[in-house]
Amino acid sequence: MASPSKSDSHALSRIRARNDYVMRFLQPGDLVKIDRRIYYHWGVYIGDGKLIHITKERPLDKSCGEIREDDLMKVAGKSKIYAGNDRDSRYTPRSPDKIVKKAKRCVGSVDYNLITRNCEHFANYCRYGQRVSEQLLFLGSPSEELKERSLHSDSLFND
């Protein structure tokens, strides 16, 4: 019977190999979702192994986030990555060039809000111009007031 550390190491090797495989097919402008088990972390793939995504600048300050460019594999860590363009049938995606430009223009500090301004809102905004977060649906629908505020905020992602 294998020791837990060998088993963990083997599982991590399989995840990394799988992520390497997925990354070969990613194109600039594709959305990436990273499986964090209880939620998906979202970002915009910009090419050369790079991801633009929202991260927490100061973990204890719930409203302070940062949109930044990072190495996709470092962001993924021990988590599986997936291409996240499954909404292309519902929303019209911008051109890859426009998606990448939109994401790059948003880099910097941003007010983070789980309900109205999270990583999934950001990724969908860049690709489709739609500020939606479907994974929040299992928590219940946000109030109409929050939806309206989120949809009509001019400074949502610093662009």
Side-chain angles (χ1 to χ4, degrees):
M1 187 163 135
S3 70
S5 62
K6 285 184 182 179
S7 176
D8 290 346
S9 176
H10 186 258
L12 182 57
S13 293
R14 282 196 323 254
I15 289 171
R16 286 187 178 148
R18 182 198 172 285
N19 287 352
D20 284 338
Y21 179 79
V22 171
M23 223 166 99
R24 282 189 274 167
F25 295 96
L26 291 176
Q27 298 295 312
D30 283 348
L31 300 188
V32 174
K33 55 185 185 178
I34 301 169
D35 188 350
R36 300 288 197 218
R37 293 192 178 194
I38 60 170
Y39 70 96
Y40 286 102
H41 180 66
W42 289 78
V44 177
Y45 185 71
I46 61 168
D48 298 322
K50 300 293 183 187
L51 183 77
I52 295 181
H53 64 118
I54 294 180
T55 187
K56 299 296 283 174
E57 256 177 26
R58 297 182 293 254
L60 297 178
D61 183 350
K62 293 183 180 177
S63 67
C64 191
E66 180 183 12
I67 297 174
R68 67 184 203 195
E69 179 181 323
D70 286 312
D71 180 83
L72 172 56
M73 295 306 252
K74 286 183 182 175
V75 174
K78 298 177 183 180
S79 302
K80 291 179 182 176
I81 64 171
Y82 299 88
N85 301 333
D86 45 321
R87 295 182 185 128
D88 284 3
S89 62
R90 279 185 277 159
Y91 304 114
T92 304
R94 295 177 165 132
S95 70
D97 184 53
K98 286 183 179 181
I99 297 165
V100 170
K101 283 180 182 174
K102 175 71 70 179
K104 286 183 175 185
R105 277 198 314 263
C106 293
V107 169
S109 292
V110 65
D111 286 336
Y112 177 87
N113 182 296
L114 177 64
I115 304 299
T116 62
R117 256 180 255 111
N118 66 36
C119 58
E120 188 179 6
H121 288 111
F122 167 72
N124 285 314
Y125 173 66
C126 291
R127 186 167 177 89
Y128 306 111
Q130 301 290 323
R131 297 173 178 118
V132 294
S133 179
E134 291 181 4
Q135 67 185 326
L136 289 176
L137 295 178
F138 79 93
L139 296 173
S141 183
S143 73
E144 289 304 314
E145 179 186 346
L146 282 176
K147 287 182 196 174
E148 281 299 307
R149 208 171 0 161
S150 135
L151 291 173
H152 298 293
S153 173
D154 291 333
S155 60
L156 191 62
F157 295 114
N158 302 328
D159 68 331

